[in-house]
Amino acid sequence: MRFPRLLPVLFCLSCASAQAAQVKRVEVRGIDGAMANDVRAALSLEDAIGKQVSDRRLDYLLEEAETETRNALEPYGYYSPQIKVTPSSDRNALVVTIDVQRGDPVIVRKVAYGIEGPGAQDQYLTQDIQKVQPVPGRVFDQSAYEAGKTAITQRLAQRGYFDSDFISHKVEVTRAAHAADVDLRWASGERYEMGPVTFEQTPNEIINQKLLERLVYWNEGDYYHQGRLDRLRKSLTSLDYFSRVDIEPLPGDAKDLRVPVQVTLEPAKRSIYTAGVSYGTDSGPGARFGLERRYLNKRGHKALAQVDYAQKRKVATLQYRVPAFKWLDGWYTAGLQFGDEQSRYIDNRRTELVFSRTGQINTKLDAAISLHVLRERWAYTDGTLKTPYQTASLSFPQLDMHYVSVDDRLYPRRGIGANFTLRGGSAGAGGGFLQGHARAQWFHGLGPQDRLILRGELGYTVAKDALALPPSLRFFAGGDRSIRGYNWREVGPRLVDPKGRYLFAYGAKNVVTSSVEYERYFNASWGAAAFVDGGSAFDDRKLDWHTGVGFGVRWRSPVGPVRIDIARGLKHPDSPFTLHLNIGADL
């Protein structure tokens, strides 16, 4: 009979329990930088910002904030901080302040750190240990300790110590003394060796097994190292025969400490068809078609046929490649190319036969040595004036080297890329010639979104009669990757008509260009650039320097960087603006 009198009381209690507060923001004082960011990331209060939370939930979050802050500071060596959590009085816009006094950091006092067993004599593991072990007298960094522990454990496996295990892995912290004693030791066990390698091609064999076995450059019984398998994977991938390359060491099946290696390969599609459209200010509209056979036979031979047919320029290419493994992984290539250019300034027909050997010297340097047999006929014209036809038949060897050492090949922010070409030989009636050409690019990040790019080019020809060299072996300047603000091949020695008017560049013995460019990205995809380019193509010492300035838009597209530049040459006051478009990596 008394229950009805209790209903109002129960209703009030339920309303009181339903009261809620809203967290507006959390302020962390006394620390900044990465330490403050880590504290914020650890706080459950951060997840409650902008949300309605009950009194019970709020009390729990405020109580946990001290523990979470304390745990977030420990990796930095602060095990005894003083932490005060204070909420504001406005429950509808609650501001929680966390005041932190870090106190004295924990200092490394004693260190027992290393590898016992055969791995103790491994000089590379010794070097790795020296890089990561804690140093007595320094602040104890728990994150560095954990990273070092993981790194050494992985290195032991990579170098074939598959039986390695911890002898001890502990850190004892004495809070009163602000000291940490580190005891981290491994027992390496015996080092395993490289065992037999088995290749399995599924669903059927497309390449002779003996050809693939030539990629295995180590001998059975050599010390195991993961890097050997990584190099094998890269070699198999670069052959482009297979869509999947799976290399698996099997230490569990090892006999006499020799680890068998299972290589599973799935063939890629045999034929690659390509088609596209093109447009160039000098070549006009055009289309491109190509067919490549990834493998013609079980010996791994390849073939390529490609046609680039534009209104004013046609190029047809045939190529046959044979894999080469002696000395350096690479290819023996025989190529034949036909070119026909009928542009507004030249009538040119060219046939070139090339025999080459390519190879990778190391991870940063590729090289190619080739023999060229060239037949070229040309005449210059501007529609009204046409020079007599000239013909050249040349044969010459050529060395090409390509060096890349950057942090990111698609969007480099640090490093250098360079190309070098050296060729020389018979130039027919013009006698012999020797020619060197080098390009280099240097990238330097100035901040998270900025970078500085320096480019340079230098080409030099030694020839009795430079005009006897065909246009394909002469140097030109101007255009997208040369001197922006000038059109392609605009800069250099020019033909002069009977009235003294300069017509068009016919190529030069030498070339020098340079560029300074500053880029800034405003977000992950879009940015802008400003640049100054300069240089000239010239004969002997008649250097006629041209300078171009401009700005551009940068877009990190899904298919690679896109660069659109507007530039103007400063050589003449009435020089027009030029538009330049580039798609693809800088290197």
Side-chain angles (χ1 to χ4, degrees):
M1 295 298 295
R2 296 178 181 178
F3 286 120
R5 295 182 180 180
L6 292 176
L7 288 178
V9 176
L10 294 174
F11 178 76
C12 292
L13 290 174
S14 65
C15 289
S17 63
Q19 288 181 355
Q22 185 176 32
V23 180
K24 182 180 180 181
R25 67 177 185 273
V26 178
E27 296 181 355
V28 180
R29 300 175 179 175
I31 55 176
D32 54 16
M35 196 179 301
N37 292 335
D38 286 350
V39 168
R40 289 184 179 278
L43 289 173
S44 301
L45 273 169
E46 287 284 326
D47 298 329
I49 292 177
K51 301 177 181 177
Q52 295 286 336
V53 294
S54 65
D55 283 345
R56 182 178 298 177
R57 176 63 177 169
L58 178 60
D59 290 341
Y60 170 77
L61 293 177
L62 293 174
E63 183 178 347
E64 285 296 302
E66 180 177 347
T67 302
E68 292 167 344
T69 301
R70 190 179 304 278
N71 292 339
L73 292 174
E74 286 185 357
Y76 292 94
Y78 296 98
Y79 283 78
S80 302
Q82 294 183 12
I83 302 168
K84 182 179 180 181
V85 181
T86 307
S88 66
S89 58
D90 187 356
R91 301 184 61 81
N92 294 323
L94 194 66
V95 177
V96 179
T97 303
I98 302 176
D99 291 295
V100 178
Q101 293 182 13
R102 293 175 292 182
D104 295 328
V106 169
I107 304 299
V108 177
R109 182 171 56 187
K110 296 179 182 180
V111 176
Y113 200 103
I115 298 172
E116 300 180 9
Q121 308 303 318
D122 191 317
Q123 61 174 334
Y124 296 101
L125 288 174
T126 301
Q127 293 172 2
D128 293 335
I129 288 289
Q130 292 173 350
K131 292 177 182 177
V132 301
Q133 69 179 4
V135 178
R138 294 186 181 178
V139 176
F140 176 69
D141 188 330
Q142 184 175 335
S143 59
Y145 166 82
E146 294 293 341
K149 182 169 67 174
T150 301
I152 298 301
T153 301
Q154 292 176 345
R155 283 289 283 166
L156 283 164
Q158 291 171 358
R159 296 190 62 77
Y161 298 94
F162 292 107
D163 296 331
S164 64
D165 199 359
F166 290 107
I167 297 175
S168 176
H169 56 103
K170 62 181 180 180
V171 178
E172 294 181 352
V173 176
T174 306
R175 296 179 184 270
H178 301 289
D181 298 329
V182 180
D183 186 0
L184 181 57
R185 290 169 291 141
W186 292 263
S188 68
E190 294 294 329
R191 186 175 187 181
Y192 283 64
E193 299 172 347
M194 304 299 299
V197 181
T198 304
F199 291 91
E200 180 182 355
Q201 301 179 54
T202 58
N204 50 59
E205 181 179 299
I206 62 168
I207 302 297
N208 192 296
Q209 293 287 89
K210 292 183 178 180
L211 177 68
L212 300 178
E213 289 170 359
R214 295 174 67 182
L215 292 173
V216 181
Y217 69 94
W218 66 83
N219 297 316
E220 187 173 337
D222 289 348
Y223 280 129
Y224 180 92
H225 193 291
Q226 181 64 36
R228 301 181 190 273
L229 304 187
D230 294 339
R231 176 175 169 178
L232 176 60
R233 178 180 291 103
K234 185 174 182 179
S235 297
L236 287 167
T237 302
S238 64
L239 289 173
D240 199 32
Y241 300 144
F242 308 104
S243 62
R244 184 173 73 90
V245 176
D246 185 15
I247 301 178
E248 183 180 5
L250 304 172
D253 297 336
K255 295 181 180 180
D256 298 325
L257 296 179
R258 294 193 173 183
V259 180
V261 178
Q262 176 67 45
V263 182
T264 305
L265 306 167
E266 289 185 8
K269 292 184 177 180
R270 189 172 189 176
S271 299
I272 304 173
Y273 299 92
T274 57
V277 295
S278 64
Y279 179 80
T281 54
D282 289 288
S283 60
R288 296 174 181 174
F289 304 95
L291 169 62
E292 181 180 2
R293 298 299 292 268
R294 279 193 169 103
Y295 43 92
L296 290 171
N297 48 47
K298 287 194 173 184
R299 295 187 299 277
H301 295 191
K302 292 175 177 282
L304 169 71
Q306 186 171 292
V307 176
D308 189 346
Y309 193 94
Q311 182 181 12
K312 300 176 182 178
R313 185 182 296 124
K314 292 88 177 171
V315 179
T317 304
L318 298 173
Q319 195 178 84
Y320 194 91
R321 291 195 291 165
V322 177
F325 304 117
K326 193 173 184 179
W327 302 308
L328 300 170
D329 291 355
W331 300 91
Y332 294 108
T333 304
L336 180 62
Q337 189 174 81
F338 303 93
D340 185 347
E341 183 177 351
Q342 306 292 324
S343 67
R344 60 184 175 87
Y345 80 97
I346 195 170
D347 176 355
N348 180 281
R349 289 176 174 83
R350 176 176 58 87
T351 301
E352 186 172 15
L353 180 63
V354 181
F355 300 95
S356 68
R357 167 66 160 98
T358 61
Q360 184 184 53
I361 297 177
N362 54 46
T363 57
K364 298 179 181 179
L365 182 62
D366 295 333
I369 186 168
S370 54
L371 176 64
H372 297 245
V373 179
L374 175 64
R375 173 77 173 179
E376 192 164 345
R377 189 191 75 163
W378 71 95
Y380 296 102
T381 177
D382 68 348
T384 59
L385 174 68
K386 188 170 185 178
T387 64
Y389 278 105
Q390 291 180 264
T391 303
S393 297
L394 301 89
S395 58
F396 55 91
Q398 179 170 307
L399 171 67
D400 294 282
M401 305 191 77
H402 181 56
Y403 177 84
V404 177
S405 177
V406 295
D407 56 344
D408 186 335
R409 285 181 176 253
L410 194 59
Y411 300 103
R413 288 184 48 78
R414 184 180 65 257
I416 188 172
N419 294 281
F420 175 74
T421 299
L422 179 66
R423 57 190 169 214
S426 169
F433 79 101
L434 180 65
Q435 191 174 75
H437 187 211
R439 291 176 179 268
Q441 300 178 85
W442 180 71
F443 304 90
H444 181 67
L446 300 176
Q449 303 295 332
D450 305 63
R451 67 174 182 172
L452 178 67
I453 306 172
L454 303 182
R455 299 185 180 93
E457 175 189 15
L458 181 64
Y460 188 78
T461 305
V462 178
K464 181 179 179 181
D465 182 5
L467 292 179
L469 292 176
S472 62
L473 294 180
R474 298 183 195 172
F475 293 120
F476 298 84
D480 300 335
R481 296 182 179 271
S482 181
I483 311 173
R484 288 164 289 187
Y486 299 90
N487 292 319
W488 185 59
R489 292 186 171 183
E490 181 181 346
V491 178
R494 291 173 167 272
L495 287 179
V496 183
D497 68 6
K499 296 182 180 180
R501 294 177 302 177
Y502 288 95
L503 299 178
F504 37 78
Y506 55 81
K509 292 173 58 178
N510 314 307
V511 67
V512 57
T513 64
S514 61
S515 174
V516 179
E517 181 172 325
Y518 170 76
E519 277 187 358
R520 178 174 179 80
Y521 275 83
F522 305 110
N523 53 43
S525 300
W526 291 95
F531 55 84
V532 179
D533 296 347
S536 180
F538 59 99
D539 290 326
D540 299 322
R541 296 183 179 179
K542 299 176 182 179
L543 179 60
D544 184 18
W545 192 267
H546 289 63
T547 302
V549 298
F551 63 92
V553 176
R554 301 293 182 261
W555 176 39
R556 289 177 175 171
S557 74
V559 296
V562 177
R563 300 178 291 279
I564 303 174
D565 295 321
I566 298 176
R568 184 177 184 272
L570 302 181
K571 186 68 175 178
H572 303 289
D574 56 348
S575 295
F577 286 93
T578 58
L579 179 66
H580 306 272
L581 172 64
N582 268 292
I583 301 175
D586 294 297
L587 299 169

